[in-house]
Amino acid sequence: MQIYGIIYLKQIIKFMSFILKKKLLNLYNFKPSGPFLLSFGILVGGTSFTMFLNLFLGVIDQIYIIYALFTWFWLRIVEILFNILSKKNNKLFSFSLSWQFPILLICLLGLFHIKLPIYFLASIALIDLLLFFLINIYKNINLSWQKMIIGFVAGSIIIGLSNIHTGTLPWINELAYVGIVGTDYLRDAAVANSWSEYSSISHGIHGLLFEPYHVLFAIFIDPFISDTVNVIKVFTILANIMMPTFLIYGCSKLIIYMGSTYISKNWLLILMFFILTFASIDYVLGQRSLLIATLLYISVIPLLYYAVSK
């Protein structure tokens, strides 16, 4: 009886392994899109630039790598959801839903002061990153290394220029302790900490009048704040690593699916022209309220376009 039990258990394990393997490989059956590969290059460029600047402090802060992996995880979720939803739905509508999901989830966590398990998610992201490249290289999938290199170079330049203009440098974390940073950083940090610690938006920064300033921004920031990552460091991570990646990805998707055939085919050129001239990306990255508003606006544009086009 015991022998039959062992054999039965082995068959169950074998069957579950087959199912898991089949489902797991399905996540890598989709050919990575051009915007995804370009955004990955932006991610590597932003992370490399931030860690290079951090060397001036004499240390290599591993938290930037952790958050870079988390950004990869977030980006992959959006890409996978889009590929799944677009099989049966309009591409613009599918993109809007896939884009909104992580943002609204993070806001929901912030509303109830639930912290993101960053290290756990980063571990999953590292495994996924390795599998992604190994499987795609094994299948001889064209990964458009040129787009990744363009993203890396463009990301480093754009984020570098943004740092010069907005001061989102890695060492503002240390300078904040002695007050040698822009007043906006200290004001926004006070608002975010007020929500994170006391579930209330600070009223003192604009005098005695009640001012519900940056409410959504503070809620969005809350899940990222921890004992090891204070709010000022979260500002740096958002401005240099996470948001450039998502802004490039989101804008690329809008250009491709909302533009004419000519614009869609030349989306990379249109994107660079847009980012370097009209977008004022440095201002978006340096202003927390405008940053979260831009993320939400990217998901609203395709919905409005989809509704009007119907």
Side-chain angles (χ1 to χ4, degrees):
M1 191 73 178
Q2 186 177 4
I3 296 176
Y4 285 112
I6 294 174
I7 295 174
Y8 183 66
L9 181 60
K10 286 183 177 180
Q11 292 297 324
I12 293 177
I13 294 174
K14 185 178 180 180
F15 176 75
M16 294 299 294
S17 299
F18 172 77
I19 295 296
L20 181 61
K21 182 179 179 181
K22 185 178 179 181
K23 294 293 184 182
L24 184 64
L25 289 177
N26 284 339
L27 299 178
Y28 304 94
N29 284 336
F30 301 107
K31 181 181 178 181
S33 64
F36 179 83
L37 297 173
L38 178 69
S39 299
F40 175 70
I42 296 284
L43 172 60
V44 175
T47 306
S48 302
F49 183 83
T50 305
M51 294 190 68
F52 172 75
L53 291 180
N54 195 242
L55 288 175
F56 287 94
L57 299 175
V59 295
I60 298 178
D61 199 336
Q62 296 179 351
I63 196 64
Y64 297 124
I65 299 177
I66 298 299
Y67 270 89
L69 289 171
F70 171 75
T71 305
W72 165 269
F73 180 78
W74 182 345
L75 192 65
R76 278 279 289 161
I77 287 177
V78 176
E79 181 84 346
I80 290 171
L81 285 177
F82 170 75
N83 286 325
I84 293 173
L85 293 173
S86 61
K87 285 184 174 181
K88 297 182 179 180
N89 301 283
N90 177 275
K91 289 186 180 298
L92 278 175
F93 183 70
S94 301
F95 169 69
S96 180
L97 292 180
S98 61
W99 181 265
Q100 288 182 52
F101 174 72
I103 298 172
L104 296 180
L105 178 60
I106 291 174
C107 288
L108 184 64
L109 295 177
L111 188 64
F112 295 99
H113 304 295
I114 301 173
K115 304 301 179 183
L116 282 165
I118 294 294
Y119 288 92
F120 174 71
L121 295 177
S123 300
I124 297 176
L126 179 59
I127 297 172
D128 177 72
L129 178 65
L130 295 174
L131 289 175
F132 175 83
F133 281 98
L134 289 174
I135 292 175
N136 280 282
I137 291 173
Y138 176 76
K139 290 182 176 181
N140 293 319
I141 301 296
N142 181 15
L143 291 178
S144 299
W145 298 99
Q146 184 181 5
K147 286 189 176 64
M148 295 188 200
I149 295 173
I150 291 174
F152 175 81
V153 175
S156 301
I157 294 173
I158 292 171
I159 294 167
L161 293 175
S162 175
N163 272 239
I164 294 172
H165 186 265
T166 61
T168 47
L169 302 163
W171 47 76
I172 66 170
N173 181 58
E174 280 67 31
L175 295 176
Y177 289 109
V178 291
I180 311 178
V181 292
T183 55
D184 282 357
Y185 290 104
L186 299 178
R187 175 201 65 195
D188 293 347
V191 173
N193 281 326
S194 175
W195 172 258
S196 179
E197 299 297 327
Y198 306 107
S199 298
S200 175
I201 300 300
S202 174
H203 300 167
I205 56 176
H206 289 292
L208 299 177
L209 296 177
F210 174 72
E211 184 76 21
Y213 183 75
H214 283 201
V215 175
L216 188 56
F217 142 75
I219 293 173
F220 180 79
I221 285 287
D222 184 76
F224 298 102
I225 303 173
S226 65
D227 295 335
T228 56
V229 184
N230 61 37
V231 65
I232 297 293
K233 185 167 286 188
V234 172
F235 291 167
T236 305
I237 291 169
L238 287 173
N240 292 356
I241 296 176
M242 297 179 65
M243 292 306 115
T245 304
F246 296 123
L247 289 177
I248 294 298
Y249 180 81
C251 290
S252 299
K253 287 287 189 178
L254 292 181
I255 292 171
I256 290 173
Y257 295 120
M258 292 179 61
S260 64
T261 303
Y262 176 81
I263 291 177
S264 298
K265 289 181 178 179
N266 298 277
W267 65 271
L268 186 57
L269 178 63
I270 303 298
L271 172 70
M272 291 304 170
F273 183 76
F274 171 71
I275 291 296
L276 295 175
T277 53
F278 300 110
S280 296
I281 191 172
D282 55 335
Y283 191 71
V284 173
L285 300 181
Q287 297 290 330
R288 265 62 61 181
S289 58
L290 187 57
L291 186 149
I292 183 63
T294 302
L295 286 180
L296 292 174
Y297 193 51
I298 286 175
S299 69
V300 171
I301 292 175
L303 287 181
L304 295 175
Y305 184 86
Y306 176 67
V308 172
S309 63
K310 288 191 69 177

